[in-house]
Amino acid sequence: MRIIVTGGAGFIGSAVCRHLVLEQGWDVLNIDKLTYAANLASLTVVENQPNYRFVRGDICDRAALDAIFEEFAPAAVMHLAAESHVDRSISGSAEFINTNVNGTHCLLEAARAYWSNLKGELKQNFRFHHISTDEVYGSLGDSQLFSETTPYDPRSPYSASKAASDHLVNAWHHTYGLPVVISNCSNNYGPFHFPEKLIPLITLNALEGRPLPVYGDGLNIRDWLYVDDHVRALVLVLTKGRLGHKYNVGGRSERTNLHVVETICDLLDELRPLDRPRRDLITFVSDRPGHDRRYAIDPTKIETEFGWRPKETFETGIRKTVQWYFTHHEWWQPLRAKVYGGERLGLIDA
């Protein structure tokens, strides 16, 4: 199968590219703008494979997209290109609207133009898979779960922009007949994660003996999903998903942020002890504006239809992740030195 992957130099996108090229044996064309969080070093294992190509491009560039579709002739699109960090969306929302909303619109129109000219089985089998987030659903109470029918209630500029993109994809299916599927995932973690997000940030700060910032009381809850488990689910949604349907993908691994931080501390104390427990480095800081209290996905639909289950528990996945950062300084040290050093993001000017 020939697949266009957008945002394939990012965290989840690079995992998708590695899996499709090495495990599925599909032909992959990766389009990525190479913004700050993209890293071609995450793709060294596939960069010389004959079934992998990289194009530096912007999904807002319609002419470039049209040329790529015509030349590569994909059987499907997996759309992951997005600005994704809530904190950055708070202090700079414009890029999120441009990429996540305008970029998705541009990609949909390019895909629609290409698909409209296909014939027979090529047209019938074409798929546009939009990969999104559980944050579009808003914040939960103590016991509810997000299902595919949960009303949208985004609370941050990031989640609002992703909600808008979901609505666009759904509208292009119902209005134009574009064959789409949508998936909404819980918080991913694993190797090659840009160190502005909670798990890599805390892991690297803890390795270096730096303060470990925890927002508010640390009791915000997220459902954690190991990235390779997510990728396996995405392939199933792409190849088996019912057209016009959406699929929630979660790890059934709810943990408070404080529990996550404490687990990382304990793992690193085991791997490289300091002169004191790393839990002593935990520093509670002012909460993120509009911080959602709890996310939790009900993945029953994808479990029932496809038999998908995550292979990693949180305990096995977080150990793999921390060990990876512990042994791959060559990947993250240049990022810490030149791109993002761990400073607080998402503060609102008074």
Side-chain angles (χ1 to χ4, degrees):
M1 186 181 289
R2 297 172 68 80
I3 305 288
I4 287 177
V5 176
T6 70
F11 169 47
I12 301 175
S14 65
V16 167
C17 287
R18 293 191 300 269
H19 179 82
L20 297 186
V21 171
L22 299 176
E23 303 299 326
Q24 298 291 132
W26 295 351
D27 293 322
V28 173
L29 190 151
N30 171 14
I31 306 172
D32 200 293
K33 189 178 178 180
L34 296 184
T35 56
Y36 76 95
N39 191 346
L40 292 178
S42 303
L43 294 159
T44 54
V45 69
V46 299
E47 63 183 3
N48 294 319
Q49 295 294 318
N51 56 328
Y52 172 77
R53 291 171 55 187
F54 171 71
V55 174
R56 185 170 186 174
D58 187 344
I59 59 169
C60 293
D61 185 341
R62 175 64 190 274
L65 291 177
D66 286 342
I68 289 168
F69 273 97
E70 181 177 1
E71 190 274 330
F72 186 68
V77 175
M78 298 182 75
H79 176 34
L80 296 104
E83 295 289 340
S84 67
H85 191 37
V86 173
D87 285 350
R88 290 183 187 268
S89 79
I90 292 169
S91 55
S93 59
E95 282 301 312
F96 288 74
I97 302 304
N98 189 49
T99 298
N100 300 356
V101 182
N102 297 333
T104 298
H105 170 258
C106 189
L107 182 65
L108 283 167
E109 282 292 82
R112 182 169 73 91
Y114 166 77
W115 168 75
S116 295
N117 289 321
L118 295 176
K119 306 295 182 184
E121 288 189 0
L122 292 175
K123 185 169 188 176
Q124 180 180 346
N125 295 332
F126 181 80
R127 296 292 183 270
F128 185 105
H129 182 186
H130 177 62
I131 291 87
S132 191
T133 172
D134 62 355
E135 298 191 36
V136 299
Y137 298 123
S139 187
L140 284 171
D142 292 335
S143 60
Q144 307 103 316
L145 296 172
F146 294 138
S147 74
E148 286 79 5
T149 59
T150 299
Y152 279 28
D153 186 22
R155 306 292 186 89
S156 72
Y158 161 62
S159 59
S161 69
K162 287 298 290 184
S165 69
D166 290 10
H167 290 318
L168 287 173
V169 173
N170 190 51
W172 258 240
H173 172 69
H174 288 283
T175 302
Y176 303 110
L178 187 69
V180 310
V181 286
I182 299 173
S183 57
N184 296 78
C185 68
S186 61
N187 283 49
N188 279 219
Y189 68 101
F192 300 104
H193 204 172
F194 187 79
E196 65 185 356
K197 300 294 181 73
L198 177 66
I199 286 177
L201 175 64
I202 293 299
T203 300
L204 300 188
N205 277 13
L207 269 173
E208 298 171 347
R210 295 167 59 175
L212 308 179
V214 175
Y215 289 170
D217 59 10
L219 299 183
N220 299 74
I221 294 172
R222 298 295 181 262
D223 175 12
W224 293 96
L225 176 64
Y226 192 69
V227 65
D228 290 345
D229 285 327
H230 184 204
V231 170
R232 289 189 302 105
L234 294 180
V235 172
L236 290 170
V237 172
L238 176 69
T239 57
K240 297 184 177 183
R242 289 179 283 163
L243 294 184
H245 279 245
K246 63 186 302 186
Y247 295 85
N248 283 353
V249 187
R252 295 192 183 274
S253 294
E254 291 183 56
R255 300 292 187 279
T256 66
N257 288 347
L258 182 59
H259 178 89
V260 172
V261 173
E262 291 174 340
T263 300
I264 294 169
C265 289
D266 296 344
L267 286 170
L268 284 173
D269 285 347
E270 174 187 324
L271 292 169
R272 182 189 286 174
L274 296 177
D275 57 358
R276 56 174 173 157
R278 282 182 169 83
R279 289 191 183 208
D280 291 350
L281 299 173
I282 293 174
T283 304
F284 293 94
V285 300
S286 59
D287 208 351
R288 165 192 287 165
H291 198 181
D292 291 337
R293 192 63 170 176
R294 176 174 170 262
Y295 302 148
I297 270 184
D298 178 2
T300 299
K301 183 176 180 178
I302 191 171
E303 292 172 348
T304 302
E305 291 193 17
F306 309 144
W308 174 88
R309 298 289 190 283
K311 293 181 178 179
E312 302 294 341
T313 65
F314 179 75
E315 288 69 30
T316 61
I318 195 66
R319 178 174 288 274
K320 284 184 175 183
T321 301
V322 170
Q323 288 176 330
W324 187 88
Y325 283 100
F326 184 70
T327 57
H328 287 79
H329 292 241
E330 79 286 349
W331 185 87
W332 59 260
Q333 281 182 332
L335 300 177
R336 293 277 275 189
K338 298 179 181 179
V339 183
Y340 173 68
E343 64 274 10
R344 177 76 189 268
L345 300 171
L347 296 173
I348 299 175
D349 295 334

